């Protein structure tokens, strides 16, 4: 048997290339698989804000195709943002992704959401009142 499905075939219909990824072919397949798994387990639709495009800090994982910003859109806003953040943090622990991921929590975005990236270490942060603080403040 020859494996001919691409990552994009694998993660449709939940994620499509035409969404706001910037350059979708540059996005890490590992990151896309994680996003897909989060989508399946949470059952919450996910709206992609950006992948490789947009303005980020110098050397950002975004430019390497290793980071995505998004928000969840649970039906009827039935899940609080705090519970969404808790779900994500617990998910990363349960799946043993903790030490290889960066997770940023952004409650003050127009659509409160998250930054998720693949990296060689663990990073967690919260942006509140325009400042980056530890997630224990959340
Ligand atoms: Zn980001």
């Amino acid at each position: 048997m020859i494996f001919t499905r691409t990552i994009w075939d694998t993660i449709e219909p939940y994620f499509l290339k035409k969404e706001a990824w910037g350059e979708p072919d540059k996005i890490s397949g590992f990151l896309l698989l994680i996003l897909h798994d989060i989508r399946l387990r949470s059952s919450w639709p996910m709206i992609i804000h950006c992948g490789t495009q947009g303005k980020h800090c110098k050397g950002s994982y975004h430019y390497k195709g290793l980071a995505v910003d998004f928000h969840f859109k649970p039906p009827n806003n039935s899940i609080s943002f705090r519970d969404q953040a808790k779900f994500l943090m617990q998910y990363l622990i349960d799946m043993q992704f903790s030490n290889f991921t960066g997770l940023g929590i952004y409650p003050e975005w127009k659509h409160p959401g998250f930054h998720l990236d693949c990296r060689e270490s663990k990073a967690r942060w919260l942006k509140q009142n325009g400042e980056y603080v530890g997630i224990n403040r959340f």
Side-chain angles (χ1 to χ4, degrees):
M1 186 187 136
I2 299 171
F3 188 81
T4 56
R5 298 184 77 196
T6 70
I7 182 66
W8 292 98
D9 297 330
T10 304
I11 65 176
E12 72 175 2
Y14 300 115
F15 298 104
L16 304 172
K17 263 189 172 181
K18 66 181 181 185
E19 292 174 90
W21 305 100
E23 295 174 75
D25 290 330
K26 282 194 179 173
I27 305 286
S28 156
F30 290 121
L31 182 58
L32 292 172
L33 278 181
I34 292 173
L35 290 168
H36 187 242
D37 195 49
I38 290 169
R39 173 65 180 82
L40 293 178
R41 286 165 189 266
S42 69
S43 82
W44 307 326
M46 293 159 71
I47 311 299
I48 303 301
H49 299 185
C50 68
T52 60
Q53 84 283 36
K55 199 169 177 217
H56 308 281
C57 62
K58 197 182 165 200
S60 167
Y61 288 94
H62 280 282
Y63 303 129
K64 299 170 185 158
L66 293 171
V68 168
D69 295 348
F70 66 94
H71 71 270
F72 288 113
K73 205 174 174 188
N76 308 314
N77 291 321
S78 52
I79 311 292
S80 72
F81 183 66
R82 186 174 297 272
D83 283 347
Q84 295 171 21
K86 278 187 194 163
F87 165 82
L88 268 182
M89 288 188 282
Q90 190 62 47
Y91 169 83
L92 295 174
I93 292 168
D94 293 344
M95 297 303 287
Q96 300 179 199
F97 293 146
S98 278
N99 294 336
F100 312 97
T101 47
L103 176 67
I105 303 174
Y106 292 87
E108 293 166 1
W109 280 348
K110 183 180 169 203
H111 295 288
F114 305 95
H115 162 110
L116 183 64
D117 68 59
C118 294
R119 58 174 74 194
E120 292 176 348
S121 56
K122 177 180 181 176
R124 300 287 180 269
W125 64 91
L126 163 68
K127 192 167 188 187
Q128 207 162 47
N129 302 318
E131 284 184 47
Y132 291 99
V133 296
I135 54 170
N136 56 346
R137 300 262 293 270
F138 187 55

